[in-house]
Amino acid sequence: MHVCLMVAITVDGKIARASDHYPDWTGKADKQLYVEITKKAGVMIMGSTTFDIIGRVLPGRKTIVMTRNPDRRSDRDDLVYTQSPPEQIISDLAAQGFEEAVVVGGAKINQLFAGKGLIDELILTLSPYAFGSGLSIFSDTVDLKLSLKKFWKIDENTLCIRYRVLH
């Protein structure tokens, strides 16, 4: 199972001003790339705060929402709430036939997957903003060694940078 971590960041490395900050600053090209990558994978994994900010299931892919709230449940095939650890989520998805998953935040979820060594690729979109303070990609210390795969402009002011995680 190939696991990508995909995040939009500011030039000062922030993913949001605060945990409830809607990502309307990332731009149209970033959103198009997000749709392309997550639909190709077929499944995306996020925390409940990120899901609540998005506010709905995005079409054409399965959404796994990690939550500590046992009352959150879904009867939809494309929406799963889980209290399972990252390793179990990846194992379950592989058993369902998925070959790729995209972790899409927030910082705590990114931290959980990175801390367990489950991230194979990091996809960053670097947006032309600086917040000065806010949330970083990870909620705590990580030790990821990366190898640049490629980078390109996705619009006039935004870069996409893809790294392979060296295990």
Side-chain angles (χ1 to χ4, degrees):
M1 170 72 89
H2 183 80
V3 180
C4 295
L5 170 58
M6 184 174 192
V7 292
I9 62 168
T10 61
V11 295
D12 55 349
K14 303 303 177 191
I15 61 171
R17 292 183 193 274
S19 62
D20 62 349
H21 185 193
Y22 188 80
D24 55 359
W25 53 272
T26 63
K28 184 178 180 179
D30 170 71
K31 287 176 179 39
Q32 288 172 338
L33 184 65
Y34 180 90
V35 168
E36 177 187 323
I37 289 172
T38 57
K39 277 190 172 183
K40 179 180 173 281
V43 64
M44 51 190 198
I45 303 166
M46 65 186 73
S48 57
T49 300
T50 300
F51 180 73
D52 292 343
I53 288 169
I54 293 171
R56 63 188 172 90
V57 173
L58 300 177
R61 61 222 110 153
K62 184 174 201 150
T63 301
I64 307 295
V65 179
M66 296 179 71
T67 181
R68 290 180 292 239
N69 182 350
D71 295 330
R72 289 193 92 163
R73 301 187 196 292
S74 169
D75 57 1
R76 298 174 59 142
D77 290 338
D78 60 351
L79 175 62
V80 175
Y81 291 104
T82 183
Q83 295 180 338
S84 297
E87 306 92 334
Q88 185 64 51
I89 293 169
I90 297 303
S91 176
D92 291 348
L93 289 170
Q96 294 168 36
F98 289 98
E99 296 177 3
E100 186 174 358
V102 183
V103 176
V104 297
K108 289 178 185 173
I109 301 306
N110 299 346
Q111 175 72 41
L112 284 172
F113 280 82
K116 298 284 186 176
L118 297 173
I119 303 296
D120 300 303
E121 185 176 8
L122 175 59
I123 304 170
L124 300 173
T125 52
L126 183 60
S127 297
Y129 291 91
F131 295 157
S133 64
L135 299 178
S136 296
I137 297 171
F138 304 104
S139 61
D140 204 349
T141 304
V142 298
D143 187 19
L144 292 181
K145 291 179 179 45
L146 308 171
S147 175
L148 182 66
K149 288 177 71 172
K150 70 179 190 172
F151 64 94
W152 70 100
K153 286 175 71 168
I154 61 172
D155 70 16
E156 185 176 307
N157 296 305
T158 307
L159 294 175
C160 182
I161 309 163
R162 291 183 85 141
Y163 291 98
R164 183 169 52 93
V165 177
L166 302 174
H167 293 287

